[in-house]
Amino acid sequence: MSDLDDRLLSLVDTVVDADEQRLPLLTLREARAAVELLQLLARGEGNGSFAARHLAGNLARRLPTDG
């Protein structure tokens, strides 16, 4: 894991742990688009790919399921 991954993960995990009660910043459509973009970034092996994979998983778990 790169230094960039470590820095991004520490930001993401701190926000997720501390701000569970805040109102959403994104619409459902924006959140789904963000997950898709993060998944695209995560397919690479460059800096940030590990953090992108982690964040995409966090967001995807919070999205309502279709159906």
Side-chain angles (χ1 to χ4, degrees), residues 4-63:
L4 178 61
D5 283 317
D6 286 334
R7 185 172 59 80
L8 292 172
L9 288 173
S10 69
L11 290 171
V12 168
D13 290 340
T14 301
V15 170
V16 169
D17 292 341
D19 293 337
E20 289 291 332
Q21 300 303 315
R22 288 193 175 205
L23 295 175
L25 296 175
L26 301 173
T27 66
L28 186 56
R29 292 179 73 184
E30 289 171 325
R32 287 188 171 129
V35 169
E36 286 189 42
L37 288 170
L38 286 165
Q39 289 170 338
L40 181 64
L41 176 61
R43 287 187 198 128
E45 293 298 322
N47 285 338
S49 63
F50 184 88
R53 201 166 20 262
H54 181 78
L55 181 54
N58 284 353
L59 292 174
R61 281 190 298 279
R62 291 170 173 232
L63 290 173

